Amino acid sequence: DTAVSQTPKYLVTQMGNDKSIKCEQNLGHDTMYWYKQDSKKFLKIMFSYNNKELIINETVPNRFSPKSPDKAHLNLHINSLELGDSAVYFCASSVGETQYFGPGTRLLVL
Amino acid sequence: AQTVTQSQPEMSVQEAETVTLSCTYDTSENNYYLFWYKQPPSRQMILVIRQEAYKQQNATENRFSVNFQKAAKSFSLKISDSQLGDTAMYFCAFMKPQGGSEKLVFGKGTKLTVNP
């Protein structure tokens, strides 16, 4: 009965690699988001999609590419990973103004 | 651009006592939403309470209540009868309705420790 799920929960990888994080929601929401939480716990929006259409792109490097195959899924692909990409990435979905978050994916780039 | 300020990086409280976490925000909007999210050590972001700016009545959810002062742009969270499970990071967040392109703007968080 998980509402917003993310895989994997942990991801350890080397600099320069390409990796993906998957997100799925079973709430029937139209809008999904990616947020980044840095090492100081600061949370910031990266992207939002509404019905598979990109709505928000918050000056994120183009190494980050979201993809929404359908409105229940929003995946995040990261190319050429850098040390500074180490963070926790949260997926969220919303109906109206309330956003519901996934459990987060902790990415560590070595 | 909207900003959210949480001036207390860390706080502690004894179990069963009451604690208030502060949040101020800056906006020129008249219609917006405010939220408190809790992030326990498990990392999960949990919605605690939300407030609609056009509602004068302060929101309440069980032991959690807010003091919303629109003119002062202040949105504090009061936790009554604190429990050990309330130990967590608490984030205040602002959202402006934008017809499908809403985003949460977060403060930097307050780390709350409830002591036995």
Side-chain angles (χ1 to χ4, degrees):
Chain A
D1 61 346
T2 303
V4 183
S5 60
Q6 294 178 229
T7 52
K9 285 197 168 56
Y10 298 93
L11 189 50
V12 181
T13 188
Q14 300 288 328
M15 276 176 55
N17 284 350
D18 303 338
K19 289 293 178 187
S20 291
I21 306 171
K22 295 187 176 182
C23 177
E24 176 181 3
Q25 55 96 3
N26 61 7
L27 298 167
H29 294 166
D30 288 337
T31 309
M32 296 183 73
Y33 310 80
W34 279 109
Y35 287 84
K36 178 180 179 180
Q37 185 174 41
D38 64 22
S39 58
K40 295 185 178 178
K41 302 283 189 182
F42 185 59
L43 276 148
K44 191 173 180 199
I45 184 91
M46 298 174 70
F47 302 103
S48 80
Y49 269 72
N50 185 279
N51 266 320
K52 303 194 297 175
E53 180 184 350
L54 179 65
I55 302 296
I56 295 174
N57 182 343
E58 284 281 309
T59 58
V60 177
N62 57 16
R63 297 182 296 104
F64 290 79
S65 53
K67 283 191 171 50
S68 181
D70 55 62
K71 76 173 194 178
H73 296 83
L74 179 62
N75 304 323
L76 183 65
H77 188 75
I78 316 170
N79 288 329
S80 303
L81 278 155
E82 299 177 358
L83 294 177
D85 297 332
S86 294
V88 179
Y89 293 85
F90 284 97
C91 177
S93 72
S94 71
V95 59
E97 68 286 342
T98 302
Q99 296 187 15
Y100 299 89
F101 284 77
T105 295
R106 181 177 292 278
L107 171 65
L108 179 59
V109 183
L110 302 175
Chain B
Q2 288 81 18
T3 58
V4 177
T5 302
Q6 293 180 249
S7 58
Q8 305 148 316
E10 292 193 41
M11 293 190 73
S12 63
V13 64
Q14 291 300 121
E15 199 175 3
E17 293 188 349
T18 295
V19 64
T20 299
L21 309 184
S22 301
C23 173
T24 58
Y25 56 95
D26 186 24
T27 185
S28 57
E29 302 293 328
N30 191 47
N31 184 30
Y32 49 87
Y33 296 87
L34 295 162
F35 304 84
W36 280 97
Y37 279 87
K38 167 185 176 181
Q39 187 179 38
S42 66
R43 197 171 71 210
Q44 179 74 50
M45 291 288 289
I46 302 165
L47 177 65
V48 175
I49 201 164
R50 55 168 254 185
Q51 175 79 43
E52 297 157 61
Y54 61 86
K55 287 190 177 178
Q56 291 187 342
Q57 187 172 3
N58 288 326
T60 299
E61 288 286 342
N62 301 314
R63 298 182 294 107
F64 298 88
S65 61
V66 297
N67 183 3
F68 173 48
Q69 302 288 329
K70 191 173 184 179
K73 297 180 183 174
S74 170
F75 183 61
S76 61
L77 174 70
K78 185 171 87 170
I79 306 174
S80 304
D81 186 26
S82 296
Q83 299 176 359
L84 296 178
D86 295 334
T87 292
M89 285 287 292
Y90 286 82
F91 293 96
C92 179
F94 172 98
M95 176 192 284
K96 177 178 80 169
Q98 286 184 285
S101 60
E102 290 81 8
K103 64 179 181 183
L104 286 167
V105 176
F106 286 93
K108 292 189 175 180
T110 296
K111 183 178 181 182
L112 176 68
T113 302
V114 180
N115 298 310

